[in-house]
Amino acid sequence: MAVQEMSRGTHTTACACEECAREGHRRAVAAFLEKRDEFAAGQGVPAAVAHSHGASRQWVSDELALSARNVADRGREAGNTWLYVFSRRAVLAVWIAAGVLLLVQVAAALGTGWSTARTAGLLAALLLAGLLTLAARAQSLRGGLLAPLVGEDNRLSTSKAVPSAWVVLTAFATLLPALRLAASAPGPERQALYAGLALDRALPLLSVVVLTSGVAVLVRRVVSVRIMSQRLQKLPADRPRGADLLTDDAGRGSFPDAQYVLVSTAVLAYAAASLARFPDRLPQLPWALALLVALSAAVYLAAKYAEGSRPLVLSVVRRREPGDLDAAVRPGDDIEIRGVGFVPPGAQTPEMLARLVVRIGAVHVHVPLVPVPGGFTNPSDAVLTVPVPAEVEPGRTEIQVVTAAGVESNRCTIDVAE
């Protein structure tokens, strides 16, 4: 107990270690949830604004937006700290894997004796681990070994992870016969090693590497073009997660991503087993498995072309409270904007919800956060409720929604009465 207290006492308010960053994020989340539930129960509103429904709603929304911003800041700090720690742990895991390979080689050599193939395998593992370590150190602040797999949205990219796995396996499979060739004398053994590197044997494997790498490049281009043309809404995540390989930006399971990862993993396991059985040559993949990977990649690529949409305003109506009379829209009234795509995937966090804006004429109105126990009733993906400001001039006025991703919806015209 004394050791634990001493360890805690060494941390200060400016400490940037992983434990303090996570604790700061947990405290910020707990404070936000407590404040949201307190406001949802009608408590904590100052008396100066409690008499006005509109003023109290705006005050509550502003307080929640400030608290949500604090949660997001703490989350990003925790994410940056996690990336740095992961970089060091990933390098350690690579060297542990090389050590496990050494133990396996020694155990296998007890009965049959040490061989040149085992030496080549061990040297190939050490050389590959050294190269990965250098690459990880060059990008230690961005995740080390994870850096090449992270997309522009700070999520693990399925399109980058799959070809990276194939490249690592191919590099290891190439180092094995290369090291044996360096140590072999002219003769049948060298001829057999050269035959294991023949193009006709390696063509299916090379086709898979080229195909998956090409899909990664094409997917990046497709996503960039769709974002620039405002046909796709992308928001950054706090940090990469392993689940990103199997889910969409909202954290829901994605069939195109999942099938691409699963099929590639299965074929990759077949190639690894073939390499373990015949280490003197490149893994020989059947063309049927290469075609299976190609079909899986085609489904994944087609899904990238089809995903995403712009926000769409379908209609705008005056919001009527129970007991009110039906009337025209006037300044001070609440209007209900109905449509789709107001909350894109990844924008379900309170900070992103607070960034929703409705342009009413020349006035920009931030959509208020309306809390309820466990969440918010406003805004939602299909309905937004905002007040009509007094600055809006009577007459025909255009309504337009600007999402947290910065994408603008179509314009919808309403009549504002005096």
mmCIF file of all heavy atoms in Angstrom, residues 98-132:
data_model
loop_
_atom_site.group_PDB
_atom_site.id
_atom_site.type_symbol
_atom_site.label_atom_id
_atom_site.label_comp_id
_atom_site.label_asym_id
_atom_site.label_seq_id
_atom_site.Cartn_x
_atom_site.Cartn_y
_atom_site.Cartn_z
ATOM 1 N N ALA A 98 10.489 -12.728 -32.219
ATOM 2 C CA ALA A 98 11.760 -13.261 -32.699
ATOM 3 C C ALA A 98 12.379 -14.214 -31.680
ATOM 4 O O ALA A 98 12.945 -15.261 -32.040
ATOM 5 C CB ALA A 98 12.727 -12.115 -33.001
ATOM 6 N N GLY A 99 12.229 -13.889 -30.380
ATOM 7 C CA GLY A 99 12.728 -14.792 -29.337
ATOM 8 C C GLY A 99 11.968 -16.096 -29.297
ATOM 9 O O GLY A 99 12.567 -17.171 -29.082
ATOM 10 N N VAL A 100 10.652 -16.027 -29.503
ATOM 11 C CA VAL A 100 9.851 -17.256 -29.540
ATOM 12 C C VAL A 100 10.280 -18.130 -30.705
ATOM 13 O O VAL A 100 10.370 -19.365 -30.592
ATOM 14 C CB VAL A 100 8.349 -16.901 -29.632
ATOM 15 C CG1 VAL A 100 7.512 -18.145 -29.908
ATOM 16 C CG2 VAL A 100 7.886 -16.226 -28.348
ATOM 17 N N LEU A 101 10.565 -17.498 -31.854
ATOM 18 C CA LEU A 101 11.034 -18.264 -33.004
ATOM 19 C C LEU A 101 12.354 -18.973 -32.691
ATOM 20 O O LEU A 101 12.565 -20.134 -33.075
ATOM 21 C CB LEU A 101 11.199 -17.346 -34.218
ATOM 22 C CG LEU A 101 11.743 -17.997 -35.493
ATOM 23 C CD1 LEU A 101 10.798 -19.089 -35.988
ATOM 24 C CD2 LEU A 101 11.952 -16.949 -36.584
ATOM 25 N N LEU A 102 13.239 -18.270 -31.969
ATOM 26 C CA LEU A 102 14.504 -18.887 -31.584
ATOM 27 C C LEU A 102 14.275 -20.115 -30.698
ATOM 28 O O LEU A 102 14.897 -21.167 -30.897
ATOM 29 C CB LEU A 102 15.367 -17.859 -30.851
ATOM 30 C CG LEU A 102 16.664 -18.390 -30.218
ATOM 31 C CD1 LEU A 102 17.577 -18.974 -31.293
ATOM 32 C CD2 LEU A 102 17.369 -17.288 -29.444
ATOM 33 N N LEU A 103 13.375 -19.989 -29.730
ATOM 34 C CA LEU A 103 13.088 -21.124 -28.853
ATOM 35 C C LEU A 103 12.503 -22.295 -29.632
ATOM 36 O O LEU A 103 12.838 -23.459 -29.378
ATOM 37 C CB LEU A 103 12.129 -20.686 -27.740
ATOM 38 C CG LEU A 103 12.671 -19.640 -26.755
ATOM 39 C CD1 LEU A 103 11.588 -19.254 -25.744
ATOM 40 C CD2 LEU A 103 13.901 -20.178 -26.032
ATOM 41 N N VAL A 104 11.603 -21.991 -30.575
ATOM 42 C CA VAL A 104 11.014 -23.053 -31.389
ATOM 43 C C VAL A 104 12.085 -23.736 -32.236
ATOM 44 O O VAL A 104 12.119 -24.973 -32.357
ATOM 45 C CB VAL A 104 9.897 -22.481 -32.287
ATOM 46 C CG1 VAL A 104 9.406 -23.532 -33.284
ATOM 47 C CG2 VAL A 104 8.739 -21.984 -31.440
ATOM 48 N N GLN A 105 13.000 -22.942 -32.799
ATOM 49 C CA GLN A 105 14.063 -23.522 -33.616
ATOM 50 C C GLN A 105 14.989 -24.401 -32.777
ATOM 51 O O GLN A 105 15.406 -25.493 -33.210
ATOM 52 C CB GLN A 105 14.885 -22.401 -34.269
ATOM 53 C CG GLN A 105 14.113 -21.553 -35.269
ATOM 54 C CD GLN A 105 14.014 -22.216 -36.628
ATOM 55 O OE1 GLN A 105 13.882 -23.438 -36.738
ATOM 56 N NE2 GLN A 105 14.056 -21.409 -37.669
ATOM 57 N N VAL A 106 15.314 -23.940 -31.580
ATOM 58 C CA VAL A 106 16.181 -24.741 -30.705
ATOM 59 C C VAL A 106 15.493 -26.034 -30.306
ATOM 60 O O VAL A 106 16.100 -27.118 -30.295
ATOM 61 C CB VAL A 106 16.583 -23.917 -29.463
ATOM 62 C CG1 VAL A 106 17.286 -24.802 -28.439
ATOM 63 C CG2 VAL A 106 17.466 -22.752 -29.867
ATOM 64 N N ALA A 107 14.201 -25.944 -29.961
ATOM 65 C CA ALA A 107 13.465 -27.148 -29.568
ATOM 66 C C ALA A 107 13.378 -28.141 -30.723
ATOM 67 O O ALA A 107 13.508 -29.363 -30.532
ATOM 68 C CB ALA A 107 12.072 -26.766 -29.087
ATOM 69 N N ALA A 108 13.166 -27.638 -31.949
ATOM 70 C CA ALA A 108 13.081 -28.535 -33.107
ATOM 71 C C ALA A 108 14.440 -29.134 -33.453
ATOM 72 O O ALA A 108 14.520 -30.249 -33.999
ATOM 73 C CB ALA A 108 12.522 -27.779 -34.312
ATOM 74 N N ALA A 109 15.521 -28.408 -33.126
ATOM 75 C CA ALA A 109 16.855 -28.905 -33.464
ATOM 76 C C ALA A 109 17.364 -29.958 -32.496
ATOM 77 O O ALA A 109 18.390 -30.593 -32.771
ATOM 78 C CB ALA A 109 17.830 -27.724 -33.518
ATOM 79 N N LEU A 110 16.676 -30.159 -31.359
ATOM 80 C CA LEU A 110 17.154 -31.142 -30.382
ATOM 81 C C LEU A 110 17.153 -32.562 -30.943
ATOM 82 O O LEU A 110 18.002 -33.376 -30.618
ATOM 83 C CB LEU A 110 16.293 -31.073 -29.119
ATOM 84 C CG LEU A 110 16.424 -29.778 -28.305
ATOM 85 C CD1 LEU A 110 15.478 -29.819 -27.102
ATOM 86 C CD2 LEU A 110 17.859 -29.568 -27.844
ATOM 87 N N GLY A 111 16.181 -32.841 -31.804
ATOM 88 C CA GLY A 111 16.104 -34.196 -32.337
ATOM 89 C C GLY A 111 16.811 -34.369 -33.658
ATOM 90 O O GLY A 111 17.357 -35.443 -33.952
ATOM 91 N N THR A 112 16.831 -33.322 -34.500
ATOM 92 C CA THR A 112 17.395 -33.452 -35.845
ATOM 93 C C THR A 112 18.695 -32.686 -36.042
ATOM 94 O O THR A 112 19.373 -32.875 -37.054
ATOM 95 C CB THR A 112 16.369 -32.944 -36.878
ATOM 96 O OG1 THR A 112 16.055 -31.567 -36.590
ATOM 97 C CG2 THR A 112 15.089 -33.763 -36.808
ATOM 98 N N GLY A 113 19.037 -31.820 -35.102
ATOM 99 C CA GLY A 113 20.267 -31.055 -35.236
ATOM 100 C C GLY A 113 20.035 -29.702 -35.902
ATOM 101 O O GLY A 113 19.033 -29.488 -36.595
ATOM 102 N N TRP A 114 20.986 -28.810 -35.677
ATOM 103 C CA TRP A 114 20.880 -27.465 -36.247
ATOM 104 C C TRP A 114 21.222 -27.505 -37.739
ATOM 105 O O TRP A 114 22.052 -28.295 -38.186
ATOM 106 C CB TRP A 114 21.831 -26.521 -35.521
ATOM 107 C CG TRP A 114 21.533 -25.073 -35.799
ATOM 108 C CD1 TRP A 114 22.167 -24.270 -36.685
ATOM 109 C CD2 TRP A 114 20.522 -24.276 -35.192
ATOM 110 N NE1 TRP A 114 21.615 -23.005 -36.677
ATOM 111 C CE2 TRP A 114 20.596 -22.987 -35.760
ATOM 112 C CE3 TRP A 114 19.557 -24.537 -34.210
ATOM 113 C CZ2 TRP A 114 19.743 -21.944 -35.378
ATOM 114 C CZ3 TRP A 114 18.720 -23.502 -33.831
ATOM 115 C CH2 TRP A 114 18.807 -22.230 -34.416
ATOM 116 N N SER A 115 20.560 -26.643 -38.520
ATOM 117 C CA SER A 115 20.759 -26.658 -39.968
ATOM 118 C C SER A 115 20.906 -25.230 -40.481
ATOM 119 O O SER A 115 20.618 -24.256 -39.783
ATOM 120 C CB SER A 115 19.570 -27.340 -40.670
ATOM 121 O OG SER A 115 18.375 -26.602 -40.445
ATOM 122 N N THR A 116 21.320 -25.132 -41.731
ATOM 123 C CA THR A 116 21.454 -23.823 -42.367
ATOM 124 C C THR A 116 20.105 -23.134 -42.520
ATOM 125 O O THR A 116 20.002 -21.905 -42.405
ATOM 126 C CB THR A 116 22.118 -23.987 -43.748
ATOM 127 O OG1 THR A 116 23.349 -24.690 -43.615
ATOM 128 C CG2 THR A 116 22.373 -22.635 -44.382
ATOM 129 N N ALA A 117 19.067 -23.924 -42.771
ATOM 130 C CA ALA A 117 17.725 -23.348 -42.923
ATOM 131 C C ALA A 117 17.268 -22.685 -41.624
ATOM 132 O O ALA A 117 16.656 -21.608 -41.645
ATOM 133 C CB ALA A 117 16.733 -24.435 -43.333
ATOM 134 N N ARG A 118 17.580 -23.309 -40.473
ATOM 135 C CA ARG A 118 17.190 -22.711 -39.196
ATOM 136 C C ARG A 118 17.991 -21.430 -38.941
ATOM 137 O O ARG A 118 17.476 -20.452 -38.416
ATOM 138 C CB ARG A 118 17.388 -23.715 -38.067
ATOM 139 C CG ARG A 118 16.417 -24.882 -38.106
ATOM 140 C CD ARG A 118 16.462 -25.705 -36.829
ATOM 141 N NE ARG A 118 15.413 -26.695 -36.811
ATOM 142 C CZ ARG A 118 15.531 -27.937 -37.270
ATOM 143 N NH1 ARG A 118 16.688 -28.324 -37.777
ATOM 144 N NH2 ARG A 118 14.511 -28.773 -37.234
ATOM 145 N N THR A 119 19.238 -21.427 -39.296
ATOM 146 C CA THR A 119 20.035 -20.207 -39.148
ATOM 147 C C THR A 119 19.486 -19.087 -40.021
ATOM 148 O O THR A 119 19.386 -17.928 -39.593
ATOM 149 C CB THR A 119 21.504 -20.491 -39.518
ATOM 150 O OG1 THR A 119 22.015 -21.539 -38.694
ATOM 151 C CG2 THR A 119 22.352 -19.251 -39.341
ATOM 152 N N ALA A 120 19.126 -19.421 -41.249
ATOM 153 C CA ALA A 120 18.572 -18.417 -42.152
ATOM 154 C C ALA A 120 17.246 -17.878 -41.624
ATOM 155 O O ALA A 120 16.965 -16.670 -41.704
ATOM 156 C CB ALA A 120 18.378 -19.020 -43.542
ATOM 157 N N GLY A 121 16.410 -18.774 -41.086
ATOM 158 C CA GLY A 121 15.138 -18.329 -40.525
ATOM 159 C C GLY A 121 15.312 -17.378 -39.360
ATOM 160 O O GLY A 121 14.612 -16.363 -39.241
ATOM 161 N N LEU A 122 16.277 -17.708 -38.486
ATOM 162 C CA LEU A 122 16.527 -16.849 -37.337
ATOM 163 C C LEU A 122 17.103 -15.504 -37.768
ATOM 164 O O LEU A 122 16.680 -14.442 -37.283
ATOM 165 C CB LEU A 122 17.476 -17.544 -36.374
ATOM 166 C CG LEU A 122 17.796 -16.795 -35.075
ATOM 167 C CD1 LEU A 122 16.524 -16.504 -34.296
ATOM 168 C CD2 LEU A 122 18.776 -17.586 -34.233
ATOM 169 N N LEU A 123 18.051 -15.516 -38.695
ATOM 170 C CA LEU A 123 18.630 -14.265 -39.176
ATOM 171 C C LEU A 123 17.599 -13.415 -39.904
ATOM 172 O O LEU A 123 17.600 -12.180 -39.775
ATOM 173 C CB LEU A 123 19.818 -14.554 -40.100
ATOM 174 C CG LEU A 123 21.065 -15.140 -39.434
ATOM 175 C CD1 LEU A 123 22.134 -15.430 -40.489
ATOM 176 C CD2 LEU A 123 21.607 -14.171 -38.387
ATOM 177 N N ALA A 124 16.716 -14.049 -40.669
ATOM 178 C CA ALA A 124 15.665 -13.308 -41.369
ATOM 179 C C ALA A 124 14.727 -12.632 -40.370
ATOM 180 O O ALA A 124 14.322 -11.469 -40.553
ATOM 181 C CB ALA A 124 14.881 -14.239 -42.286
ATOM 182 N N ALA A 125 14.383 -13.357 -39.307
ATOM 183 C CA ALA A 125 13.510 -12.772 -38.281
ATOM 184 C C ALA A 125 14.178 -11.604 -37.583
ATOM 185 O O ALA A 125 13.557 -10.560 -37.342
ATOM 186 C CB ALA A 125 13.111 -13.845 -37.265
ATOM 187 N N LEU A 126 15.475 -11.749 -37.260
ATOM 188 C CA LEU A 126 16.189 -10.667 -36.588
ATOM 189 C C LEU A 126 16.340 -9.458 -37.507
ATOM 190 O O LEU A 126 16.194 -8.305 -37.060
ATOM 191 C CB LEU A 126 17.569 -11.157 -36.141
ATOM 192 C CG LEU A 126 17.570 -12.224 -35.038
ATOM 193 C CD1 LEU A 126 18.999 -12.668 -34.734
ATOM 194 C CD2 LEU A 126 16.896 -11.700 -33.773
ATOM 195 N N LEU A 127 16.636 -9.702 -38.783
ATOM 196 C CA LEU A 127 16.792 -8.599 -39.724
ATOM 197 C C LEU A 127 15.471 -7.860 -39.922
ATOM 198 O O LEU A 127 15.428 -6.616 -39.914
ATOM 199 C CB LEU A 127 17.309 -9.131 -41.056
ATOM 200 C CG LEU A 127 17.558 -8.087 -42.153
ATOM 201 C CD1 LEU A 127 18.563 -7.051 -41.675
ATOM 202 C CD2 LEU A 127 18.043 -8.756 -43.433
ATOM 203 N N LEU A 128 14.383 -8.610 -40.067
ATOM 204 C CA LEU A 128 13.075 -7.984 -40.243
ATOM 205 C C LEU A 128 12.663 -7.224 -38.984
ATOM 206 O O LEU A 128 12.105 -6.115 -39.068
ATOM 207 C CB LEU A 128 12.038 -9.048 -40.597
ATOM 208 C CG LEU A 128 10.653 -8.544 -41.005
ATOM 209 C CD1 LEU A 128 10.747 -7.657 -42.230
ATOM 210 C CD2 LEU A 128 9.705 -9.709 -41.277
ATOM 211 N N ALA A 129 12.925 -7.800 -37.815
ATOM 212 C CA ALA A 129 12.611 -7.110 -36.561
ATOM 213 C C ALA A 129 13.413 -5.818 -36.428
ATOM 214 O O ALA A 129 12.905 -4.797 -35.957
ATOM 215 C CB ALA A 129 12.894 -8.033 -35.375
ATOM 216 N N GLY A 130 14.685 -5.845 -36.864
ATOM 217 C CA GLY A 130 15.497 -4.630 -36.814
ATOM 218 C C GLY A 130 14.959 -3.543 -37.726
ATOM 219 O O GLY A 130 14.902 -2.358 -37.340
ATOM 220 N N LEU A 131 14.547 -3.923 -38.938
ATOM 221 C CA LEU A 131 13.993 -2.943 -39.864
ATOM 222 C C LEU A 131 12.685 -2.352 -39.335
ATOM 223 O O LEU A 131 12.449 -1.142 -39.432
ATOM 224 C CB LEU A 131 13.762 -3.594 -41.234
ATOM 225 C CG LEU A 131 15.022 -4.030 -41.989
ATOM 226 C CD1 LEU A 131 14.648 -4.766 -43.269
ATOM 227 C CD2 LEU A 131 15.894 -2.816 -42.317
ATOM 228 N N LEU A 132 11.822 -3.196 -38.766
ATOM 229 C CA LEU A 132 10.570 -2.705 -38.198
ATOM 230 C C LEU A 132 10.828 -1.798 -36.999
ATOM 231 O O LEU A 132 10.102 -0.820 -36.780
ATOM 232 C CB LEU A 132 9.689 -3.890 -37.795
ATOM 233 C CG LEU A 132 9.139 -4.737 -38.939
ATOM 234 C CD1 LEU A 132 8.353 -5.925 -38.394
ATOM 235 C CD2 LEU A 132 8.241 -3.903 -39.857
#
